[in-house]
Amino acid sequence: MKLGVLTGGGDCPGLNAVIRAVVKKAINDYDMSVIGFRDGYEGMILNNYITLDRKSVSGILSLGGTILGTSNRADPFNFPIMQKEEYIYLDRSSELVTNYERLGLDAIIAIGGDGTMAASARVAELGVNIVGVPKTIDNDLFGTDQTFGFDSAVVTATDAIDKIHTTAQSHHRVMIVEVMGRYAGWLAMASGLAGGGDIILIPEIPYDIDEVCNKIKERNRRGKNFSIVVIGEGAKPLGGKMVVSKIVENSPDVIRLGGISNQLAQQIEVLTHLECRVTILGHLVRGGSPTPFDRLLGTYFGCEAVRLASEKRYGRLVVLKGSDIDSIPLVDVAGKIRKVPFDSQMIQSALSLGISLGVATDQISMLMKETEKAEAVATE
Ligand code: F6P
């Protein structure tokens, strides 16, 4: 058999661990050959690929990023091309299929997030055999208990929060740390809990600014004259909107979030008269070496993807269920986002520890349901 592998969407630590596992298992266990497309589906459309052998994946396990390159603009059905300084969009899926057939490929291992999986589900309908592998620091891919890349991002964000803690204490300030995560609060919740945040604000729970300030004031009354606020980039105030930092016209999801913490800092300073500082971690959490957990998860995912391909079980996404590696149909995942649920360990533990989630505790469940409903209507 001959496999093609590609990495799509935003990068994250652990992608190289998957590529390495795919190549090694394919060669060692099945005597398959493997090629790697550059920059996600773009490489398949442009026939831009490299041969992957044992040598090409040697020494990459601990490397961040992806040796294949990636793109979050390579939707084969809506592919951007610059013409006279403007982008036009073309359906180039047939070129992708032609290259797949011409190269004599039996299957594609597509490593990516929701955008890549949505595109993969459509590519599969054209007769391309696909097995998906879920990545993202956001941990928001539907159907898997965890994506690889998330653990590494949590470690980086937690380290940053630990460092912010000491300067917050020295200066008696309110320090706000904003983390990525898009429309889900997994990264903010996990790093906020692990880093000992006092207030954690996530997209799933619109926050009440008075509640946030009351928590800070209450801490000061108890002699705790500093506070750490961890906020997900997709968080928004009650009745307010997410802060969009950039529109990327030629990307499947054009919205880039970021900057809500600046708005929050201004309001906190006005309402509490305390000094506030903002740190936006941004892409820092996507960089660096993968944690041992992500190296292991990536390795297990990569091996399972090749096993599924060897059994011709195509159109599936490899997932983590509890401590087991399993798989589900790709079509079940397309267009869905996994959010932090109210009954999760994360939310329940935060509440038990007295961490403020930005609204009165008895309103959280109701607000989460309302937010979910409003978002469902907005996407219909
Ligand atoms: O999906 C991963 C992610 O890092 C999100 O957390 C963030 O909103 C987005 O990608 C940033 O995208 P870009 O790399 O295009 O700025």
Side-chain angles (χ1 to χ4, degrees), residues 72 136-138 180-182 233 256-257 283 286:
N72 52 11
T136 168
I137 60 156
D138 304 337
M180 281 186 165
R182 271 200 323 172
E233 62 179 358
R256 293 296 177 276
L257 299 168
H283 291 80
R286 282 214 329 231

Side-chain angles (χ1 to χ4, degrees), residues 270-289:
V270 170
L271 294 170
T272 65
H273 306 293
L274 294 168
E275 219 184 351
C276 220
R277 291 288 186 276
V278 165
T279 306
I280 301 179
L281 297 182
H283 291 80
L284 189 81
V285 296
R286 282 214 329 231
S289 187

Side-chain angles (χ1 to χ4, degrees), residues 334-365:
K336 295 182 194 157
I337 293 182
R338 194 173 71 100
K339 302 254 194 167
V340 181
F342 176 68
D343 57 4
S344 60
Q345 266 313 328
M346 281 181 175
I347 291 198
Q348 295 307 315
S349 308
L351 294 177
S352 302
L353 265 64
I355 295 169
S356 167
L357 298 180
V359 280
T361 307
D362 59 0
Q363 282 180 25
I364 294 177
S365 170

